[in-house]
Amino acid sequence: MLAVLRNRAYRRLFTAQVVALIGTGLATVALGLLAYDLAGADAGSVLGTALAVKMVAYVAIAPAVGAVADRLPRRTLMVAADLTRASVALLLPFVDQVWQVYVLIFLLQAASATFTPTFQAVIPDVLPAERDYTRALSLSRLAYDLESLFSPALAAALLSLITYNWLFLGTVFGFAASAALVVSAALPTPVAAAGPRTGGVYARTAADTRLFFAVPQLRALLALDLAVAAAGAVVTVNSVVYVRDQLGRSAADVPLALGSYGAGSMVVALLLPRVLDRVPDRTVMLHGALLLAGVFVALGVITGAGSGGWRWPALLVCWAAFGAACSMVLTPTGRLIRRAVPPERRTSAFAAQFSLSHGCWLLTYPLAGRLGAAAGLQSAVLVLGALALAGGLLAVHLWPPSAAAATVEHEHAGLPAGHPHLSDAKRVRGSWRHSHHPLLDGLHAHS
């Protein structure tokens, strides 16, 4: 897996992702302490609203980024996003009103909604071979999981020496370092579109969303994202409730539960490159979604049990299974988008997926929190489990086995060897031959 780091451009981009993630993790810890200073006992409400603001920024900004992405250099977009995030982090220690937190969080996450889809669209061009790209996706998944474990530990160590306001400087450094690494990376020239795109941002955004829904695999991906969001919301929002109230354990056990989720995700991310060399994406992703529904059944049993020391290890197993199943769905997502859309529309497709997937989280976060508080954890498990099952079954329906075969094979006689559009092509009698879905015919140049 680490062999892909020999590619200098990818190595720098991956390092940029890692340092930015660490900076984000430090900011998450510092933001919680800042919210407590500003709101005291209402800090949870402040953080909940900040989380909602984050999701709104993701859902609203990412499609607009996709609509204008072909008008701006990708390096410029990523560096501008990093510098914006660094500037916002620099301002956070000086806020003294709750509304200021919300404004700055919106700006910070709007910049993230610009950086992330652009970054995701660059990697397939840097690593055109599918085997290398698959390993890069697994590394990215590992980076997210390791950050969730490493950043809190690093923050705890730093807080023994400094006040939490200084953690924001670590965030500033992370984003500034990310910008510098992106500047230093040699990025391939993106594939030019077949013709100029017309219309305003709204019209272009609508066109990008239609592009995303043009292929059965990508329609199914939205249903899979709903299943993942249902499981992830239970873990993110209700872990502390399960550990402290349901099981009566100490606060120190909350990180253990969250760590179990991360461990399950990391194990699968490590195994998937070899698995995906032999097993189709559809098989892995649909099995992951259906596994989520099964884990919800087990969680319902744990939630309904009134007592028993077995519930704590069982909860850890459930959280690890949630992490593993989510990783089965999320890790191959980039491969799906890469195959389904022409190279010149990848940023638009990744932006659409980023927005739509976070729309699912915007639905499941409040469901997990408010339903759990108002009607109890069992009701939350029942509703979110039903959502996960519905998402999995809908994905099976939307992504029939025949969908992978529904492609049009065509040839390119005029493109040179090494052209990014030919990354999955084969040389046949002096031309390059490859396939794409028929609904995408005409979306890219065939010359």
Side-chain angles (χ1 to χ4, degrees):
M1 184 188 299
L2 296 180
V4 294
L5 294 176
R6 295 172 187 161
N7 182 301
R8 183 178 181 183
Y10 174 69
R11 183 169 66 249
R12 294 190 177 193
L13 290 173
F14 178 70
T15 305
Q17 179 189 25
V18 169
V19 295
L21 282 173
I22 293 173
T24 301
L26 294 178
T28 301
V29 175
L31 188 61
L33 297 171
L34 173 63
Y36 186 80
D37 273 359
L38 293 176
D42 292 329
S45 175
V46 172
L47 289 175
T49 303
L51 190 61
V53 168
K54 170 183 174 180
M55 291 298 142
V56 169
Y58 282 176
V59 172
I61 300 299
V65 172
V68 302
D70 58 347
R71 298 179 179 178
L72 296 171
R74 297 180 297 185
R75 189 196 310 276
T76 301
L77 276 175
M78 289 191 289
V79 171
D82 269 337
L83 295 180
T84 299
R85 295 193 290 185
S87 300
V88 171
L90 195 60
L91 293 174
L92 278 169
F94 302 103
V95 304
D96 55 9
Q97 300 291 328
V98 170
W99 68 267
Q100 296 170 351
V101 173
Y102 299 151
V103 171
L104 292 177
I105 289 299
F106 182 85
L107 293 175
L108 180 69
Q109 302 306 335
S112 294
T114 300
F115 181 92
T116 303
T118 309
F119 177 89
Q120 290 173 328
V122 167
I123 302 303
D125 290 344
V126 174
L127 298 171
E130 183 166 281
R131 179 182 174 87
D132 291 339
Y133 181 52
T134 301
R135 279 144 184 80
L137 291 174
S138 291
L139 277 178
S140 180
R141 185 77 249 152
L142 282 171
Y144 279 107
D145 293 330
L146 286 172
E147 181 276 323
S148 67
L149 300 175
F150 175 74
S151 291
L154 177 61
L158 291 174
L159 287 172
S160 67
L161 303 172
I162 57 177
T163 61
Y164 74 83
N165 280 333
W166 291 98
L167 294 182
F168 289 117
L169 287 183
T171 302
V172 173
F173 172 79
F175 291 138
S178 174
L181 286 162
V182 170
V183 168
S184 69
L187 303 184
T189 301
V191 177
R197 297 182 65 195
T198 59
V201 172
Y202 176 80
R204 291 155 67 93
T205 299
D208 291 337
T209 303
R210 287 195 299 271
L211 169 68
F212 189 84
F213 283 109
V215 184
Q217 294 94 312
L218 298 187
R219 291 198 296 270
L221 181 57
L222 180 58
L224 294 171
D225 285 333
L226 178 62
V228 168
V234 167
V235 173
T236 302
V237 176
N238 288 328
S239 283
V240 65
V241 182
Y242 270 102
V243 174
R244 300 288 284 144
D245 292 344
Q246 187 82 0
L247 302 180
R249 301 187 69 87
S250 70
D253 287 330
V254 176
L256 289 178
L258 295 173
S260 294
Y261 177 87
S265 179
M266 285 189 288
V267 168
V268 169
L270 285 168
L271 296 176
L272 271 184
R274 293 182 181 273
V275 174
L276 291 172
D277 285 341
R278 302 186 302 273
V279 180
D281 294 347
R282 180 183 183 274
T283 301
V284 171
M285 297 175 77
L286 293 182
H287 277 80
L290 296 176
L291 175 59
L292 288 173
V295 180
F296 266 108
V297 173
L299 182 60
V301 173
I302 297 171
T303 308
S307 60
W310 60 271
R311 293 181 301 160
W312 170 237
L315 183 73
L316 295 180
V317 172
C318 276
W319 261 220
F322 271 143
C326 287
S327 190
M328 290 172 68
V329 175
L330 294 175
T331 303
T333 293
R335 285 163 50 107
L336 217 60
I337 296 174
R338 173 182 176 271
R339 290 172 179 168
V341 301
E344 66 271 17
R345 302 293 294 276
R346 277 182 189 150
T347 302
S348 300
F350 275 108
Q353 196 274 335
F354 187 86
S355 174
L356 293 168
S357 64
H358 283 90
C360 296
W361 288 92
L362 190 57
L363 168 68
T364 58
Y365 269 143
L367 270 180
R370 295 180 182 178
L371 193 58
L377 287 176
Q378 192 69 281
S379 297
V381 169
L382 179 64
V383 171
L384 290 166
L387 275 180
L389 178 61
L393 294 177
L394 182 59
V396 172
H397 172 72
L398 293 173
W399 191 357
S402 58
T407 58
V408 173
E409 190 172 77
H410 61 282
E411 295 184 5
H412 294 273
L415 295 182
H419 193 284
H421 183 59
L422 303 178
S423 60
D424 59 346
K426 297 179 180 179
R427 189 75 169 173
V428 179
R429 296 188 302 276
S431 296
W432 294 96
R433 176 174 293 178
H434 72 160
S435 303
H436 63 71
H437 196 274
L439 292 177
L440 296 176
D441 196 25
L443 289 177
H444 59 277
H446 293 285
S447 61

